[in-house]
Amino acid sequence: MRTEGSVVLITGASSGIGNATARVLANAGYRVFGGVRRPDTATKVHGVEFVQMDVQDDASVVSAVNGVLEKAGRIDIVINNAGTSLMGPVEATSDAEAKPLFDVNVLGVLRVMRAALPSMRSNRSGLILNVSSVLGFLPAPFMGLYASSKHALEGLSESLDHEVRTFGVRVVLVEPSFSRTGLDSNAMQTQAVIEDYAVDLGHSMNAVRQQIREALPPDVVAKKILSIVRGSHRLRQPADGRARLLSVLRRFAPFGQVDKSLRRAFGLRA
C-alpha cells in the first residue's frame, strides 16, 4: 500500500484517464507530477505539477524522471498511461503506422520504467502501474495492432514483476474496457483501403463507437487506480464491471462462446 504523500509520476496526464487520475490522486493527498508533451498548453490541474515528457524520446524521459527526483527526492509510484490507438485491417496496416503505435504503447513504457527503476531499486520500494486494456487479453478485429501492443505490455509487465519484487518493487496492470476518452473515440485509421474488408470494417467501427458512447467516464478508471495504490498487490486489475466480466469469460467460458460473443460485440457476421 502506498500512503498519502507518496510521489507519483503519471504519463499522458494532459487528458483522458491520465488527467482524471492525476486529479483524483492529487485530491487524495499524493504529490503528483504529470508527464505531458507540452506543459505550456496543458490545462492546469490543482495539485498537479506538469513536467515535459515525450515517451517516444529517451532523453526527454530521462530528463523528466531526473527532474522529479531532484524536486521530490524519490518516485514512489509510476503510472504509465500514455497511449495511442489505430483502427483498420491488419493487412492494410503499414510499417509507418505500426511503428509509432508500438513506440508509444510498448517502448514508451519501457523507457519510463528503465528511467525510474534505479531510484526505486535503491529505495527498495516502488509501484509501477501500467494502463493496459481488456484488449490486452482479448483479440480485437480491426484493432489488431492496438491489441497486440497491449498483449505485449501485459507480457512485459508480468515478466518485470518477477524481476523486481526482490527489491520491494511491484508491477500492476490496470485493464479498462472502452472509456469515453479521446484515445478511444478519436483513434487513427489505416490509410490503405482494401475493399474486401469494407463491410466488416464499417460494422466494426460503428459497434466500437456505440460502445464508447455507452462507456463509463475516465474518472471510474481513475478511482480504481486510487484503490489499487491504496490496496494490496494483485497483478491484473480489471478497471470496471464490464472488464471484470470479460476477464472471467476469457478464463472460464468455452472458446466458441467467447468467439461468437466477441464477433457480435464488434458487429461481425457469424
Side-chain angles (χ1 to χ4, degrees), residues 16-228:
I17 291 171
N19 188 267
T21 302
R23 177 167 31 83
V24 166
L25 290 181
N27 288 340
Y30 293 83
R31 185 175 182 185
V32 180
F33 293 86
V36 295
R37 282 180 293 179
R38 293 179 289 274
D40 53 329
T41 60
T43 302
K44 302 301 181 186
V45 178
H46 178 70
V48 178
E49 183 174 344
F50 286 140
V51 295
Q52 198 283 324
M53 178 190 283
D54 180 351
V55 298
Q56 293 181 271
D57 185 314
D58 195 60
S60 173
V61 170
V62 170
S63 176
V65 169
N66 287 343
V68 173
L69 290 172
E70 289 174 6
K71 291 179 179 179
R74 67 189 192 277
I75 297 175
D76 301 301
I77 303 162
V78 168
I79 301 174
N80 282 302
N81 163 77
T84 187
S85 189
L86 179 69
M87 288 198 70
V90 169
E91 183 183 347
T93 307
S94 68
D95 289 356
E97 291 166 329
K99 286 178 181 177
L101 185 144
F102 273 84
D103 197 28
V104 173
N105 292 3
V106 182
L107 296 181
V109 174
L110 175 61
R111 292 182 186 102
V112 174
M113 296 192 302
R114 194 168 56 211
L117 273 168
S119 172
M120 289 182 167
R121 283 191 291 102
S122 178
N123 292 334
R124 290 298 191 265
S125 177
L127 176 67
I128 297 172
L129 195 153
N130 293 333
V131 178
S132 180
S133 165
V134 295
L135 300 187
F137 58 81
L138 284 170
F142 302 108
M143 296 183 71
L145 272 294
Y146 178 78
S148 60
S149 74
K150 292 302 185 180
H151 275 67
L153 177 62
E154 299 237 342
L156 176 67
S157 299
E158 186 167 4
S159 298
L160 179 65
D161 184 62
H162 284 283
E163 296 174 4
V164 298
R165 69 178 66 172
T166 302
F167 311 114
V169 181
R170 299 306 302 264
V171 182
V172 172
L173 285 157
V174 181
E175 299 167 327
S177 56
F178 286 111
S179 60
R180 294 202 300 271
T181 67
L183 175 65
D184 284 340
S185 58
N186 300 319
M188 293 181 63
Q189 298 180 36
T190 54
Q191 292 300 304
V193 176
I194 301 175
E195 287 300 331
D196 281 350
Y197 293 111
V199 172
D200 280 347
L201 174 58
H203 290 163
S204 184
M205 291 181 66
N206 287 336
V208 169
R209 292 188 185 109
Q210 180 61 33
Q211 291 184 59
I212 292 170
R213 284 194 291 269
E214 298 172 353
L216 295 169
D219 297 71
V220 173
V221 182
K223 290 174 183 176
K224 175 63 177 178
I225 289 173
L226 175 60
S227 73
I228 292 169

Side-chain angles (χ1 to χ4, degrees), residues 6-25:
S6 296
V7 178
V8 183
L9 172 62
I10 304 175
T11 70
S14 62
S15 62
I17 291 171
N19 188 267
T21 302
R23 177 167 31 83
V24 166
L25 290 181

